Amino acid sequence: MGAATTRVRGGRRGLPWLALGLWVVLLAVAGPFAAKLGDVQHNRATDYLPASADSTQVARLQDRLPGGQTTELVLVYRRASGLTAADRATAGEQVDALAHRHTLTGGRTPQGIPSADGTTLMYPVTSNEPGTDEKKRDAFVDDVRSIVHDTGGLSVDVGGPAALATDASGVYKSLGGPLLYTTVAVVAILLILIYRSPLLWLVPLVVAGVADFLAQAAAYTLNQAFGTAVTGASTGMMTILVFGAGTDYALLLVSRYREELRRHERPYDAMRAALRGCGLAVLASAGTVAAGLLCLLAADLNSSRGMGPLGTVGVLCALVAMLTLLPAVLVLLGRRLFWPLIPAYGSTPKVRRSLFAAMGSSAGRRPLTVLASGAALLGALALGALNLPGPLKQVDTFVDRPDSVTAMQTVAKAFPEQSAQPIDILTPAGRADAALATIRGTKGVAGARQGRTGGGWTEITVTASAPPQSAAETATIKALRHRLDGSRVGGPSAQQLDLADTSARDRLVVVPIVLLSVLLILIVLLRSLVAPLLLVVAVVAVWGAALGLGGLVFEPLFGFHGTDTGLGLLSFVFLVALGVDYGIFLMHRMREESLRGLEPAAAALTALRTTGGVIASAGLVLAATFAVLTNMGLVQLVELGFVIAVGVLLDTFLVRTYLVTSASVALGRKVWWPGPLSRTPDAASAERAPQPVG
């Protein structure tokens, strides 16, 4: 008997080493795939556009025309006091040098277009030289900028769709390093403050880094197997989810492990008890986030569809790492890892009246008053959404104004009579002449010229008389689509129009799917209908309040002149999925305490007291990781990061602590209806009692 026990214990001690060895093998296999993720990351228009929209079809058809995709630039020369003859000569020399070095469309040097006030000279430049290759496009734009340069008070800026795309691509490419380093630094600082240990904070952080490495390999595999779009935005969100959600799971596990170390002499036994106690909650919370993110596959917007699988991969990799690698490392390092606050076996932690105990007491004394006050506050904040600025224009997408935006703003002021962004139309080759006549007869069209022909299609470039993305230009695009049967209307402005329309469609489709999937998971986990409905209503209220706060600060405080069309959907998916996470932690502990025989009010307050600190720590970490996005260079990322970070904080410190707890106290046993816990103690105990074996 003793020998058998020794063998069992020896085998148990070997399990952490086995888990560690398996992870080493896994990382060795994943390494080559993770290294290739950057090679398949693209930030082309078709990677973000709606899958079925006209503008997407135009972009794809242009790729197949002779010469491939057209790279369109606008060179803008300006002297505030008025252009001189020497200025025009200088501009001409620079453009000649450009035409000599690169192959331009039509094989001739572009001609300058002077503004009516004589201060600005605009040169439209088009080339098929870069084709569809992003690196070649960026190199072409950079070389053009090196050829044309300011001279003696004559300023020159390079704008146009290609320059805007290059500047945006530069921001997305810069996300990888700065985003990762900033996220790691923020999480490290918070973990040091939370654990108050010189060593413990490093373990969850390293495990999260390992999970991120594995997620990169999995994302590359998804791209190769299913063609999943990989963009700068989706990979950035994946990294944030790995560190944010992964650290949350680590906080919950380490907290429970610390408790069990006081009850068990051996770290291995303490870890087994900790995994039994919180493993189901972690699995359920990760499953909820994954299910919510996968609902984005129902979106028509390419950027949203790609973000769903990549985000899911990040969460699942974080889950696997935190439930296998983290426990193994914690057990191998033993109690000394918690130094100087080592949880000794048989010891009792100091009983201190925590902030969450005080908050729970106030919620327990006047639950209906607290519930009504919190709901009124969230409702008032949600009204701020009415102040959200209109759709975000392409030139307003940068936090810091780059060269391309300066050029487009100069053109808009100097040439108010025409647009600086072309409208691209692909029409069947046999109907090109008729289409050209129809286009020229459409209200709002300043000019149109026939371009390339190939593959049964002819390209027609249209210049609108209204500024880009104005109401008048939008009306012109809609009129062209209505009048040109069988043709495709695209270009930068048409793309923005399709983005807005598709985002509205996606909200109507994806939001109900997310709510239904999350609700079903909660019903299965909590074995109740009321508690899941309570959690879902709470996170929806948080989303509305967070959007409202965005409406109060985006334009007045941040100076943003528009709201990204995808903000509503993406913030909803992330806040609902991540917010329910914390609800699961709280409700699972509440259910656990109820099964032990506590009355509903006592169970709710005990759950808040025991999990409040962990949930607060997890909320701070998650909010901080998303807040990292507010330091990025694109307005849409700043807006998304702000709304999610604020929403997580509201959920952590208001909704979970006060409103859900107050509602649970007020509802009593009804919160578990129609499950066994909703009945009287005698009836519930009788149902849970073991039946005699005959």
Side-chain angles (χ1 to χ4, degrees), residues 175-176 178-184 186-187 208 211-212 215-216 232-249 289 293 307 310-311 314-315 318 574 578 618 621-632 637-638 640-642 644-645 648:
L175 288 181
L179 182 64
L180 176 61
Y181 305 146
T182 308
T183 302
V184 169
V186 168
V187 173
D212 185 51
Q216 293 177 36
S234 61
T235 54
M237 293 300 293
M238 182 181 73
T239 294
I240 283 179
L241 280 170
V242 169
F243 279 91
T247 306
D248 281 3
Y249 305 150
V289 176
L293 292 174
M307 193 172 292
L310 261 65
V315 170
F574 281 105
L578 295 170
V621 170
L622 191 63
T625 54
F626 276 100
V628 170
L629 287 174
T630 62
N631 196 38
M632 299 298 110
L637 294 180
V638 175
L640 183 62
F642 176 86
I644 296 178
V648 168

Side-chain angles (χ1 to χ4, degrees), residues 194 244 247-249 251-253 255 281 356 535 578-590 604 606-623 648-658 660-661:
I194 291 168
T247 306
D248 281 3
Y249 305 150
L251 285 168
L252 189 66
L253 178 63
S255 175
F356 295 97
L535 293 180
L578 295 170
V580 167
D581 239 15
Y582 300 140
I584 289 174
F585 294 162
L586 181 66
M587 282 292 188
H588 185 267
R589 188 61 180 257
M590 193 184 303
T606 301
L608 176 61
R609 187 179 66 252
T610 54
T611 65
V614 179
I615 291 177
S617 302
L620 283 173
V621 170
L622 191 63
V648 168
L649 291 176
L650 284 173
D651 188 82
T652 303
F653 293 101
L654 174 62
V655 173
R656 292 294 150 241
T657 51
Y658 273 120
V660 172
T661 303

Side-chain angles (χ1 to χ4, degrees), residues 236-459:
M237 293 300 293
M238 182 181 73
T239 294
I240 283 179
L241 280 170
V242 169
F243 279 91
T247 306
D248 281 3
Y249 305 150
L251 285 168
L252 189 66
L253 178 63
V254 172
S255 175
R256 193 62 178 259
Y257 178 53
R258 190 197 295 265
E259 286 183 35
E260 300 299 338
L261 281 172
R262 301 181 188 277
R263 303 188 184 107
H264 298 83
E265 184 177 0
R266 292 159 44 84
Y268 179 86
D269 297 330
M271 181 56 71
R272 286 187 62 190
L275 287 172
R276 282 198 304 267
C278 68
L280 180 61
V282 172
L283 283 170
S285 63
T288 304
V289 176
L293 292 174
L294 282 178
C295 292
L296 286 172
L297 287 172
D300 192 37
L301 206 61
N302 280 344
S303 54
S304 298
R305 285 172 60 86
M307 193 172 292
L310 261 65
T312 301
V313 160
V315 170
L316 294 182
C317 287
L319 171 70
V320 173
M322 294 305 168
L323 290 186
T324 58
L325 180 59
L326 178 64
V329 175
L330 290 175
V331 170
L332 290 173
L333 293 177
R335 298 175 187 272
R336 59 184 178 274
L337 183 63
F338 290 86
W339 184 87
L341 304 175
I342 299 176
Y345 170 59
S347 65
T348 302
K350 294 181 180 179
V351 178
R352 293 178 296 181
R353 183 167 175 78
S354 67
L355 170 65
F356 295 97
M359 296 170 77
S361 299
S362 62
R365 286 194 302 269
R366 301 181 183 86
L368 293 178
T369 302
V370 171
L371 189 61
S373 302
L377 175 60
L378 291 177
L381 291 175
L383 292 176
L386 300 175
N387 195 48
L388 284 169
L392 187 67
K393 295 182 179 180
Q394 194 176 21
V395 294
D396 295 326
T397 57
F398 299 92
V399 176
D400 297 320
R401 189 171 64 180
D403 184 46
S404 56
V405 172
T406 302
M408 304 309 287
Q409 291 176 338
T410 301
V411 169
K413 293 178 181 178
F415 301 90
E417 72 282 357
Q418 69 177 41
S419 175
Q421 285 189 165
I423 300 172
D424 299 323
I425 298 178
L426 271 296
T427 192
R431 298 159 54 184
D433 293 338
L436 198 58
T438 301
I439 292 168
R440 287 171 175 164
T442 302
K443 182 181 178 181
V445 172
R449 58 182 175 84
Q450 186 171 317
R452 300 167 292 168
T453 298
W457 295 90
T458 295
E459 181 184 51

Side-chain angles (χ1 to χ4, degrees), residues 5-274:
T5 303
T6 302
R7 284 197 299 271
V8 170
R9 288 179 177 175
R12 288 176 177 177
R13 284 197 295 268
L15 285 177
W17 286 109
L18 177 62
L20 195 61
L22 290 175
W23 268 97
V24 171
V25 174
L26 180 61
L27 293 179
V29 173
F33 299 100
K36 296 179 181 178
L37 182 61
D39 298 335
V40 299
Q41 177 179 314
H42 297 289
N43 295 291
R44 301 167 302 187
T46 51
D47 296 314
Y48 289 87
L49 290 174
S52 60
D54 256 18
S55 56
T56 309
Q57 303 303 316
V58 168
R60 289 173 178 166
L61 288 171
Q62 285 178 322
D63 293 347
R64 297 198 289 266
L65 290 175
Q69 193 178 68
T70 301
T71 301
E72 299 168 335
L73 296 175
V74 176
L75 311 183
V76 184
Y77 290 88
R78 185 175 188 275
R79 186 184 290 273
S81 59
L83 295 170
T84 65
D87 292 337
R88 293 185 178 88
T90 299
E93 291 171 2
Q94 292 184 0
V95 174
D96 285 339
L98 170 62
H100 179 74
R101 185 182 299 186
H102 294 283
T103 303
L104 304 182
T105 303
R108 54 188 176 84
T109 303
Q111 300 300 307
I113 303 172
S115 64
D117 61 5
T119 62
T120 308
L121 193 61
M122 176 177 66
Y123 286 87
V125 174
T126 59
S127 175
N128 302 119
E129 187 177 279
T132 59
D133 192 304
E134 286 182 69
K135 294 181 180 178
K136 290 183 178 179
R137 179 204 63 197
D138 296 344
F140 174 77
V141 173
D142 291 340
D143 193 55
V144 169
R145 285 172 169 165
S146 69
I147 295 172
V148 299
H149 52 272
D150 298 351
T151 305
L154 175 66
S155 66
V156 57
D157 296 302
V158 180
L164 288 167
T166 293
D167 289 337
S169 178
V171 175
Y172 280 121
K173 289 176 182 176
S174 70
L175 288 181
L179 182 64
L180 176 61
Y181 305 146
T182 308
T183 302
V184 169
V186 168
V187 173
I189 292 171
L190 289 175
L191 287 178
I192 291 172
L193 294 175
I194 291 168
Y195 286 138
R196 291 172 290 170
S197 167
L199 298 174
L200 181 58
W201 64 273
L202 191 58
V203 176
L205 193 63
V206 170
V207 173
V210 170
D212 185 51
F213 186 78
L214 180 63
Q216 293 177 36
Y220 174 79
T221 305
L222 276 181
N223 174 268
Q224 296 299 297
F226 303 104
T228 304
V230 178
T231 64
S234 61
T235 54
M237 293 300 293
M238 182 181 73
T239 294
I240 283 179
L241 280 170
V242 169
F243 279 91
T247 306
D248 281 3
Y249 305 150
L251 285 168
L252 189 66
L253 178 63
V254 172
S255 175
R256 193 62 178 259
Y257 178 53
R258 190 197 295 265
E259 286 183 35
E260 300 299 338
L261 281 172
R262 301 181 188 277
R263 303 188 184 107
H264 298 83
E265 184 177 0
R266 292 159 44 84
Y268 179 86
D269 297 330
M271 181 56 71
R272 286 187 62 190

